Amino acid sequence: MSSVSIIGLGNMASALAGRALAGGNSVEIIGRDRAKAEELAAALGATVGTYGVTPAGEIVILAVPYASAAAVVSEYGDVLRGKVIIDITNPASPDFTSLVTPDGSSGAQEIVKAAPAGAHIVKAFNTLFSNVLAAGPAENRQLDVFIAGDDAQAKARVSAFIESLGLRPLDTGQLPMARALENAALLEMGLVAHSVKHTNFFLGVSILS
């Protein structure tokens, strides 16, 4: 099992924390608003960390909006050295039709620029809606979690964590593949807007042979 620190207090933070605890992991909740962090942690049965202080978890999940993700990593600085950082953000434009990252880059790659040497960024969970993640597998089908990262050991640790949640990790390759995963999230938003009309679905892989 893993020790996990989740920076953020929103729906994805809550869904990930709940599933992580159910999977036997230790979870630390961290937020700028200490009172809200304590309230969420108490509701879930997690511990509370202090914003800006070294996270207790070996795995740190960035469950904050993309617009503030790099700044958060920069604020923490060297205390994140040696940590596996899971980037779940989507760098989407306000109308959810394009990415706001530079051409040829991804949100995850931009976050790397703010991270200290020795920290390992892994993209994961960005294609799952919080309500789907909180609900868990549907009709006995595991939810798929696509991951991307440059460090094989970090991806192995994230994969083990994902499996502890009852989900299936699918490695897509090196960190530049995060751009494809972020575009997949745009695809989902297009489906919500134009055909499916709700968020009770997920993207997955059906292996035929």
Side-chain angles (χ1 to χ4, degrees):
M1 298 299 102
S2 302
S3 59
V4 181
S5 292
I6 300 176
I7 302 176
L9 303 173
N11 292 336
M12 280 296 290
S14 178
L16 283 166
R19 292 198 63 81
L21 289 164
N25 302 282
S26 62
V27 175
E28 176 186 54
I29 300 293
I30 303 171
R32 292 181 187 274
D33 188 323
R34 176 78 183 193
K36 287 186 178 179
E38 290 177 346
E39 182 179 358
L40 179 59
L44 295 169
T47 61
V48 181
T50 301
Y51 188 87
V53 175
T54 304
E58 297 174 350
I59 295 175
V60 177
I61 300 177
L62 284 177
V64 298
Y66 171 70
S68 61
V72 169
V73 170
S74 181
E75 284 181 53
Y76 272 85
D78 283 344
V79 301
L80 295 179
R81 190 182 304 273
K83 302 287 188 181
V84 174
I85 302 172
I86 299 179
D87 166 34
I88 73 168
T89 68
N90 282 308
S93 61
D95 63 359
F96 298 107
T97 61
S98 62
L99 300 177
V100 299
T101 47
D103 288 343
S105 186
S106 67
Q109 289 168 286
E110 294 303 302
I111 290 170
V112 165
K113 297 176 183 179
H120 305 292
I121 308 295
V122 177
K123 191 78 179 185
F125 296 106
N126 75 298
T127 62
L128 285 175
F129 294 106
S130 61
N131 60 298
V132 174
L133 182 60
E139 297 180 0
N140 297 318
R141 292 187 60 184
Q142 279 188 311
L143 300 179
D144 289 333
V145 181
F146 302 109
I147 67 173
D150 291 333
D151 186 88
Q153 185 175 4
K155 286 197 289 187
R157 291 170 68 183
V158 172
S159 293
F161 170 64
I162 290 169
E163 289 174 345
S164 78
L165 309 186
L167 313 178
R168 180 172 69 169
L170 292 175
D171 189 349
T172 66
Q174 300 295 101
L175 197 61
M177 284 299 293
R179 187 168 180 85
L181 299 184
E182 291 160 5
N183 272 298
L186 289 184
L187 170 64
E188 291 179 321
M189 295 312 299
L191 292 171
V192 170
H194 299 287
S195 57
V196 179
K197 303 294 186 180
H198 58 73
T199 61
N200 193 30
F201 69 93
F202 72 97
L203 297 184
V205 174
S206 294
I207 299 174
L208 303 178
S209 62

